[in-house]
Amino acid sequence: MPQEDDWDRDLLLDPAWEKQQRKTFTAWCNSHLRKAGTQIENIEEDFRDGLKLMLLLEVISGERLAKPERGKMRVHKISNVNKALDFIASKGVKLVSIGAEEIVDGNAKMTLGMIWTIILRFAIQDISVEETSAKEGLLLWCQRKTAPYKNVNIQNFHISWKDGLGFCALIHRHRPELIDYGKLRKDDPMTNLNTAFDVAEKYLDIPKMLDAEDIVGTARPDEKAIMTYVSSFYHAFSGAQKVSWMQRLLLLPLLEWIRRTIPWLENRMPENTMQAMQQKLEDFRDYRRLHKPPKVQEKCQLEINFNTLQTKLRLSNRPAFMPSEGKMVSDINNAWGNLEGAEKGYEEWLLNEIRRLERLDHLAEKFRQKAAIHEAWTEGKEDMLQKRDYETASLSEIKALLKKHEAFESDLAAHQDRVEQIAAIAQELNELDYYDSPSVNARCQRICDQWDALGALTQKRSEALQRTEKLLETIDQLYLEFAKRAAPFNNWMEGAMEDLQDTFIVHTIEEIQGLSTAHEQFKATLPEADKERQAILGIHNEIAKIVQTYHVNMAGTNPYTTINPQEINAKWDKVRQLVPQRDQFANQANVIGPWIQTKMEEIGRISIEMHGTLEDQLTHLRQYEKSIVNYKPKIDQLEGDHQLIQEALIFDNKHTNYTMEHIRVGWEQLLTTIARTINEIENQILTRDAKGISQEQLNEFRASFNHFDRRSGIMDAEDFKTCLISVGYNLGENEFSRIMSIVDPNRMGIVTFQAFIDFMSRETADTDTADQVMASFKVLAGDKNYILADELRRELPPDQAEYCMARMAPYTGPDAVPGALDYMSFSTALYGESDL
């Protein structure tokens, strides 16, 4: 068909023909792709990656194409389309001006041309009628089938089909029950065409590939679309004849060969020698190399022929070929599966037998080597584990023995694998029927028994070392406790002996009384001291008890101290002898009377309570300053008395907590405090006058400051924050940091009263009065006694509007309307009733 193989590009320039081809070719492709569970929507787009194009060719040919590329890159798509085009070319089809790049780029004309080429090769070329084929054969078939029908004259594949009677005649000729041909009229092509298309789709499984409107509305319908659709009717009504030559020529001899070979492969009689087993293996290799390959080719050819037959029958919409029972392709596959199963089992058996014979000698030698290495390692280990060297060791030596034993335990654990390997090898030799298994088993048993003995001795020595370590650590702890308690007790006794024998110098009665009192207090501590002495000696006795009970060898003395119980007892006896001698001195000292008497005046703290105006407070403070200055002569007198006391060598006075230095510092601080307070009042007057702050506001500021002032004129940061919150501030961390930078620019962490007054003055000066707020709301409300939420949202920023509405109560006056808010309640909540 050279005139049909060449794709005429120019014909596709007719939009009507292109539209018909798109619909027809898409439907034809989907009629085959649905067998693979997929379809296309857009013929030039869905074939661009080549995947569905390759799948379409596999479905209609019944053959497998090369594995497609799964990548998304252009090179992968071009590779897939080239594989499809190569497959088409391999079927003897000449592809003219159709390249993979054009298909990948979505060229509609080239894609339609490629599909038409596929349709020609796989749906039309093999049609043969009365020595004519392809297009001529299809046309002749149509003429023969429609010859008896009036008004039908099929001469071509375009205008001869416009009235639809040709399609109806084909259906009626083969399935007369589907169409009442006598009722059809030549002058009603739309009805004829739709009737044929609907019946073919519903009853013949031929998809609707054309639209009646496109055929009627086109002067000359597209020839290729009509040919494609008509070929579907041909394949629906005609098909290949059943054939069974492959059953006679190939299937029966192959089945017979399989039945003869399986018993030979299932023979599992072992040989006693390696040479005999090697011969069996060589026979099996000849089978795999010489006898089986031709049979594989026969099986493959049988399957190819069967699949080709089924594909042709499927394309012709004819029933599949079904061989007789026992001679189906599935029977060949089942028999072949049994053959390969027996073959695999036979090969595994041969290899296992050969491996068994080869492994026996290897395992026996491996057993002897491992056993010899283990026996050499265990030599002398039992004697080492039975030593009792720990009985005479010190604590440090015990710890060294323990570490050495832990290392041995690690070594022992490492050798566990070797013992298990020896046992496993012996077990394997038994399973493989090794001839010398009795001697292997005896040696393995000796090794296992010795291993168990080593494990028991290791555990016993470990327990003995740990028990000895624990005893020595207990003794060491007791030594340490003895040293910790004996050292301070020894120091106390030495100090007591020194004090009891020391001479004394006193200058006051109080010192004499103090010495006497101290001595009595010392005597009162003696019973507790004696208890401590007995406890210390008890520790020493506990050590002796442990040594005696557990037969511990104690070499040397207490490593933490040189003090011993004998020394403690000797010093204790000395202290008890000196106490009565000290009692005699105390009785004499009590006779001496007082020789100094002084009196120190206490200066009370200043408490200033401020009342009245700032000017009144300033006047009061200056008068108080004058009275303090008038007190100076008394301070001078106190300085003179202090000098006399020091000349009498009296440096302490238990009747007062104040020293002259304290008095001097307190006096200077008093003068400084009065001067600073006066200055603060003066600054407050200046602030009040400059910013127009009322006296009441200043009084409120002072009251708030005094309430939170815990440091006499200074508030720390937390107190200042609490104060601000109490007067209505809603503070976040950032806002409070900003305020602190104002009142505490030096970052001292404190707020003075003056800084507090300055800040509150600025805040007050920037705040609207209640009357001003009332006036503002009245303007927003249009002089009404209430205001609506919509008015607030319209006039104010969102956050301010929500803030005001949250603080307003519903308006309940006589002129109230739904949703009215009482702005008077906002001012009351913000400023208080008194301000209003």
Side-chain angles (χ1 to χ4, degrees):
M1 297 176 60
Q3 71 275 18
E4 296 296 339
D5 285 343
D6 293 339
W7 174 245
D8 188 350
R9 296 186 178 208
D10 297 333
L11 290 179
L12 285 179
L13 297 177
D14 187 332
W17 287 2
E18 182 175 344
K19 178 181 178 183
Q20 293 175 23
Q21 287 183 14
R22 283 177 181 271
K23 179 176 179 62
T24 303
F25 291 178
T26 300
W28 185 85
C29 291
N30 284 334
S31 70
H32 295 286
L33 286 174
R34 67 183 179 182
K35 300 171 185 177
T38 186
Q39 64 178 10
I40 61 172
E41 300 291 339
N42 188 314
I43 196 167
E44 65 264 27
E45 289 295 328
D46 293 349
F47 285 139
R48 288 181 64 182
D49 60 4
L51 295 176
K52 288 189 177 180
L53 178 60
M54 295 179 70
L55 181 61
L56 173 66
L57 291 172
E58 288 182 345
V59 171
I60 62 179
S61 68
E63 300 180 27
R64 296 291 295 180
L65 274 69
K67 185 178 180 181
E69 301 286 346
R70 293 295 177 181
K72 301 296 184 181
M73 299 175 64
R74 177 179 174 84
V75 64
H76 299 138
K77 298 177 181 179
I78 291 175
S79 175
N80 290 336
V81 175
N82 274 326
K83 291 175 182 178
L85 296 179
D86 291 343
F87 178 80
I88 296 172
S90 71
K91 299 302 179 182
V93 178
K94 180 181 179 183
L95 296 170
V96 179
S97 302
I98 299 177
E101 290 81 359
E102 294 172 306
I103 305 301
V104 172
D105 291 337
N107 187 311
K109 295 178 176 59
M110 293 299 101
T111 303
L112 292 173
M114 176 188 65
I115 297 301
W116 172 241
T117 301
I118 294 173
I119 293 173
L120 280 176
R121 172 61 183 84
F122 293 99
I124 297 175
Q125 181 175 313
D126 292 338
I127 295 175
S128 177
V129 178
E130 297 180 9
E131 298 183 356
T132 61
S133 61
K135 178 180 178 180
E136 289 74 12
L138 181 61
L139 183 62
L140 181 61
W141 179 79
C142 294
Q143 291 171 345
R144 294 284 186 270
K145 296 298 181 182
T146 60
Y149 293 86
K150 65 177 181 178
N151 296 327
V152 177
N153 183 18
I154 304 300
Q155 297 298 324
N156 51 54
F157 287 107
H158 37 83
I159 59 176
S160 295
W161 303 86
K162 280 192 67 174
D163 58 10
L165 291 177
F167 294 110
C168 293
L170 286 177
I171 296 173
H172 187 268
R173 181 63 181 269
H174 295 90
R175 297 288 298 276
E177 75 279 7
L178 297 180
I179 292 181
D180 188 351
Y181 190 83
K183 293 183 178 182
L184 299 177
R185 303 196 329 269
K186 186 175 180 64
D187 60 353
D188 190 5
M190 289 293 292
T191 300
N192 299 338
L193 290 168
N194 283 324
T195 298
F197 296 164
D198 293 341
V199 168
E201 184 175 33
K202 183 175 182 181
Y203 296 104
L204 303 179
D205 198 26
I206 299 174
K208 189 175 181 181
M209 300 183 185
L210 299 169
D211 286 329
E213 294 82 358
D214 295 338
I215 296 176
V216 173
T218 305
R220 184 175 183 269
D222 181 67
E223 183 179 50
K224 295 174 178 59
I226 298 294
M227 282 180 65
T228 300
Y229 190 46
V230 171
S231 70
S232 298
F233 284 90
Y234 172 83
H235 290 297
F237 298 132
S238 301
Q241 296 296 320
K242 296 181 181 179
V243 295
S244 60
W245 57 269
M246 59 181 173
Q247 176 180 350
R248 297 189 299 272
L249 298 179
L250 297 176
L251 190 143
L252 294 178
L254 182 59
L255 281 175
E256 181 60 27
W257 178 81
I258 291 173
R259 292 190 184 101
R260 290 197 313 270
T261 305
I262 288 178
W264 173 68
L265 293 173
E266 290 179 341
N267 181 13
R268 298 294 188 272
M269 183 65 67
E271 301 293 341
N272 295 326
T273 65
M274 179 67 71
Q275 183 179 2
M277 290 305 299
Q278 289 288 358
Q279 184 59 48
K280 279 184 174 288
L281 180 61
E282 188 63 29
D283 293 342
F284 177 73
R285 288 172 178 168
D286 288 342
Y287 154 78
R288 295 283 295 272
R289 185 172 60 252
L290 302 176
H291 305 300
K292 185 179 178 183
K295 301 303 178 182
V296 172
Q297 292 295 327
E298 292 180 15
K299 177 178 178 294
C300 181
Q301 188 61 46
L302 184 65
E303 291 175 346
I304 291 173
N305 294 338
F306 182 80
N307 290 335
T308 301
L309 172 62
Q310 298 293 49
T311 299
K312 290 182 178 180
L313 293 175
R314 182 173 67 253
L315 291 175
S316 303
N317 287 327
R318 301 295 299 275
F321 169 62
M322 293 296 294
S324 58
E325 185 69 25
K327 300 176 182 178
M328 300 181 181
V329 173
S330 60
D331 296 323
I332 288 289
N333 289 333
N334 291 336
W336 192 265
N338 294 333
L339 174 71
E340 291 192 334
E343 176 183 315
K344 180 180 179 181
Y346 186 69
E347 183 179 21
E348 290 177 354
W349 174 76
L350 281 175
L351 294 176
N352 287 336
E353 282 296 308
I354 292 174
R355 281 194 293 266
R356 183 182 71 85
L357 294 173
E358 289 177 342
R359 189 166 177 75
L360 280 174
D361 291 338
H362 171 73
L363 284 175
E365 180 60 26
K366 189 175 181 180
F367 174 83
R368 287 190 291 270
Q369 290 178 356
K370 287 185 175 295
I373 293 173
H374 178 77
E375 289 165 349
W377 179 83
T378 58
E379 186 176 357
K381 294 296 189 295
E382 292 186 33
D383 295 337
M384 181 270 292
L385 292 172
Q386 292 176 352
K387 287 183 179 180
R388 304 179 66 88
D389 47 355
Y390 53 83
E391 293 181 348
T392 59
S394 63
L395 179 58
S396 60
E397 292 171 341
I398 283 293
K399 290 185 178 296
L401 288 175
L402 267 171
K403 290 187 178 297
K404 182 178 179 181
H405 188 71
E406 289 172 358
F408 172 76
E409 287 179 324
S410 299
D411 194 14
L412 187 71
H415 279 75
Q416 175 71 31
D417 288 342
R418 178 175 287 113
V419 175
E420 292 176 355
Q421 291 171 6
I422 291 172
I425 294 172
Q427 177 66 25
E428 191 170 359
L429 287 171
N430 280 275
E431 292 173 354
L432 294 175
D433 297 329
Y434 181 56
Y435 74 95
D436 198 19
S437 290
S439 64
V440 169
N441 293 337
R443 190 173 185 181
C444 180
Q445 188 62 47
R446 289 195 302 272
I447 290 174
C448 291
D449 292 343
Q450 185 187 34
W451 184 255
D452 293 339
L454 286 176
L457 289 173
T458 300
Q459 180 65 25
K460 183 178 179 181
R461 180 172 175 82
S462 177
E463 292 173 354
L465 289 172
Q466 292 174 4
R467 181 174 61 253
T468 304
E469 180 190 34
K470 187 174 181 180
L471 289 172
L472 293 181
E473 284 179 343
T474 301
I475 293 174
D476 189 71
Q477 288 294 325
L478 291 173
Y479 270 150
L480 181 59
E481 184 178 359
F482 178 88
K484 288 181 177 179
R485 297 179 68 170
F489 186 71
N490 183 66
N491 290 338
W492 175 84
M493 289 192 298
E494 290 179 348
M497 289 189 293
E498 182 180 350
D499 291 340
L500 291 171
Q501 298 177 84
D502 192 16
T503 58
F504 56 87
I505 300 175
V506 295
H507 299 93
T508 65
I509 295 174
E510 287 78 4
E511 289 180 352
I512 298 171
Q513 292 174 347
L515 288 173
S516 177
T517 301
H519 185 65
E520 291 299 325
Q521 291 175 349
F522 171 74
K523 290 195 298 182
T525 62
L526 290 177
E528 287 298 325
D530 191 36
K531 289 182 180 178
E532 177 66 12
R533 180 184 66 87
Q534 293 177 6
I536 294 171
L537 296 177
I539 296 172
H540 178 76
N541 295 335
E542 181 67 20
I543 294 173
K545 182 179 179 181
I546 293 175
V547 170
Q548 183 178 2
T549 302
Y550 296 101
H551 307 289
V552 179
N553 181 25
M554 294 301 298
T557 57
N558 191 329
Y560 301 109
T561 182
T562 58
I563 302 171
N564 54 59
Q566 294 77 14
E567 184 178 353
I568 290 175
N569 286 329
K571 290 182 178 180
W572 177 253
D573 292 341
K574 181 65 174 176
V575 169
R576 296 191 62 182
Q577 291 173 5
L578 292 173
V579 168
Q581 299 174 10
R582 195 64 169 181
D583 288 339
Q584 182 179 359
F585 157 77
N587 293 331
Q588 294 174 357
N590 287 332
V591 177
I592 300 174
W595 64 278
I596 287 180
Q597 181 175 357
T598 64
K599 181 178 180 181
M600 301 290 289
E601 297 293 334
E602 179 182 0
I603 299 176
R605 59 185 293 265
I606 298 176
S607 176
I608 302 174
E609 296 184 0
M610 298 295 183
H611 300 286
T613 65
L614 293 176
E615 287 77 3
D616 293 340
Q617 296 174 17
L618 183 60
T619 301
H620 177 70
L621 285 171
R622 284 175 176 167
Q623 292 173 352
Y624 195 79
E625 181 185 27
K626 184 178 180 181
S627 66
I628 290 175
V629 172
N630 292 337
Y631 195 77
K632 184 66 167 59
K634 294 184 179 181
I635 299 298
D636 296 337
Q637 182 181 354
L638 188 62
E639 284 281 7
D641 294 341
H642 173 67
Q643 184 174 356
L644 293 175
I645 292 172
Q646 284 193 328
E647 290 174 356
L649 300 179
I650 299 173
F651 302 103
D652 294 318
N653 191 337
K654 74 172 184 175
H655 297 289
T656 180
N657 293 326
Y658 297 96
T659 64
M660 195 62 222
E661 183 63 26
H662 292 157
I663 297 299
R664 295 190 193 102
V665 174
W667 175 254
E668 292 171 358
Q669 288 179 347
L670 178 60
L671 294 178
T672 302
T673 301
I674 291 299
R676 185 176 66 248
T677 305
I678 290 173
N679 180 256
E680 288 180 356
I681 297 299
E682 290 172 344
N683 288 336
Q684 291 175 30
I685 292 174
L686 291 175
T687 302
R688 179 198 66 188
D689 295 341
K691 297 190 177 181
I693 300 174
S694 67
Q695 183 64 42
E696 290 76 9
Q697 288 177 309
L698 284 174
N699 291 340
E700 290 178 2
F701 295 159
R702 174 168 288 281
S704 298
F705 187 87
N706 288 342
H707 180 75
F708 293 97
D709 173 17
R710 295 185 294 180
R711 299 176 57 184
S712 300
I714 296 174
M715 278 196 294
D716 58 25
E718 287 300 320
D719 289 339
F720 177 57
K721 185 176 183 181
T722 305
C723 179
L724 291 179
I725 293 173
S726 72
V727 297
Y729 279 78
N730 185 12
L731 295 176
E733 289 299 327
N734 293 335
E735 176 63 12
F736 182 66
S737 297
R738 182 190 69 81
I739 294 175
M740 281 300 296
S741 68
I742 296 173
V743 299
D744 182 23
N746 295 325
R747 301 183 181 275
M748 302 288 290
I750 60 174
V751 181
T752 64
F753 180 68
Q754 186 61 43
F756 178 76
I757 289 295
D758 291 342
F759 172 74
M760 294 304 295
S761 299
R762 285 196 298 274
E763 292 293 305
T764 304
D766 294 338
T767 304
D768 290 338
T769 65
D771 290 339
Q772 290 172 328
V773 173
M774 289 280 290
S776 298
F777 278 130
K778 192 165 186 178
V779 170
L780 294 178
D783 289 332
K784 299 191 297 292
N785 293 325
Y786 57 85
I787 191 168
L788 299 176
D790 291 340
E791 293 173 335
L792 287 171
R793 294 190 179 97
R794 184 173 62 250
E795 300 295 340
L796 297 177
D799 56 341
Q800 294 183 15
E802 296 300 327
Y803 177 85
C804 293
M805 287 188 290
R807 287 159 177 78
M808 290 185 184
Y811 179 71
T812 59
D815 54 342
V817 299
L821 299 173
D822 186 358
Y823 52 77
M824 177 67 73
S825 62
F826 175 85
S827 298
T828 303
L830 191 62
Y831 293 97
E833 193 66 41
S834 62
D835 290 341
L836 291 177

